[in-house]
Amino acid sequence: MTAHIVWDWNGTLYHDIDAVIAATNAAFAEIGLDPITLEQYRELYCVPIPRFYERLLGRLPTGDEWEAMDTAFHGHYVRHRVECGLTEGAETLLESWRTAGCTQSILSMYGHEDLVPLVRDFGIERHFVRVDGRTGPSGGSKAEHMVRHLSALRGTAVAARTCVIGDAADDAMAAREVGARAVLYTGGSHSRASLVAVGVPVVDTLAEAVELAGTMVD
């Protein structure tokens, strides 16, 4: 089978980190937490997301607290995301990978019903053999979703020739869950140091990520 890329969406193809920080701080203000900087966010962010709040609060949030924070964040994010666009060069890379005869898909922890029309609105849906967003509760790991995603791609992609490109340690963990490779990009939710600690290649541009992916699954 041909080489395949599983793209992450938020913080990878979709450059929304500014919206994430704005929505996070707006949500924090509602529950009396001090705002944080981009650098602080990247140092502290982790999955499952309640652990991220534990690092801020000094304790795990209760179920009611987590639900309130998650609802507040998503409400503010929808308002701020309208100012966001694709990461620089992303559309050209998608086109080049597809026209080279390779395949690609999206797996995101963004809600499926919100993700699909957003991808469609950017006019890039044609580049992907499958687009999957999160179904079920938010805040968890991508690993179980990756298992389902690759299973749905049976006949199109195999793990041994698949590379996951994302901005979070969780993307690499999900790749390992299915036996795929991974490249992590520094333009999203994590600091470079936290990505390097995962033990997979780390790059500063999506062009570098695609180039590496091509050599890893060729």
Side-chain angles (χ1 to χ4, degrees):
M1 290 186 185
T2 187
H4 184 82
I5 290 175
V6 177
W7 289 96
D8 174 55
W9 179 248
N10 302 91
T12 304
L13 285 175
Y14 188 47
H15 185 68
D16 66 342
I17 189 62
D18 292 335
V20 169
I21 298 301
T24 297
N25 284 331
F28 282 3
E30 291 188 18
I31 59 173
L33 287 177
D34 292 332
I36 61 173
T37 64
L38 172 59
E39 291 73 22
Q40 289 171 320
Y41 182 94
R42 284 176 165 165
E43 287 297 328
L44 295 172
Y45 182 78
C46 62
V47 173
I49 297 174
R51 294 288 182 186
F52 169 56
Y53 288 110
E54 180 182 25
R55 293 180 174 185
L56 293 163
L57 297 170
R59 62 174 176 81
L60 275 172
T62 66
D64 287 345
E65 287 173 331
W66 157 245
E67 185 174 343
M69 288 186 285
D70 189 51
T71 299
F73 169 82
H74 284 97
H76 290 293
Y77 176 80
V78 169
R79 178 165 55 88
H80 287 286
R81 80 173 193 193
V82 297
E83 302 173 9
C84 301
L86 297 176
T87 299
E88 184 178 358
E91 189 163 5
T92 298
L93 292 168
L94 296 173
E95 177 77 32
S96 297
W97 184 262
R98 182 175 63 86
T99 56
C102 301
T103 57
Q104 54 200 329
S105 57
I106 293 176
L107 175 62
S108 174
M109 294 301 282
Y110 194 42
H112 186 76
E113 297 304 317
D114 295 310
L115 173 67
V116 172
L118 189 55
V119 172
R120 188 172 295 134
D121 286 347
F122 279 111
I124 58 173
E125 189 178 22
R126 69 187 185 280
H127 297 306
F128 306 105
V129 295
R130 188 173 183 88
V131 176
D132 283 335
R134 171 186 49 79
T135 56
S138 63
S141 171
K142 184 178 275 189
E144 63 183 86
H145 298 271
M146 185 67 73
V147 172
R148 290 195 294 269
H149 185 72
L150 272 193
S151 178
L153 290 171
R154 190 175 293 122
T156 300
V158 293
R161 301 207 66 198
T162 295
C163 184
V164 176
I165 298 177
D167 69 312
D170 191 50
D171 291 301
M173 299 302 103
R176 287 175 183 170
E177 181 73 18
V178 296
R181 308 297 293 274
V183 177
L184 297 179
Y185 164 62
T186 60
S189 60
H190 282 36
S191 67
R192 169 174 273 277
S194 63
L195 294 179
V196 168
V198 178
V200 302
V202 176
V203 299
D204 296 317
T205 69
L206 293 188
E208 293 174 276
V210 172
E211 183 179 1
L212 264 178
T215 63
M216 293 166 71
V217 298
D218 188 18

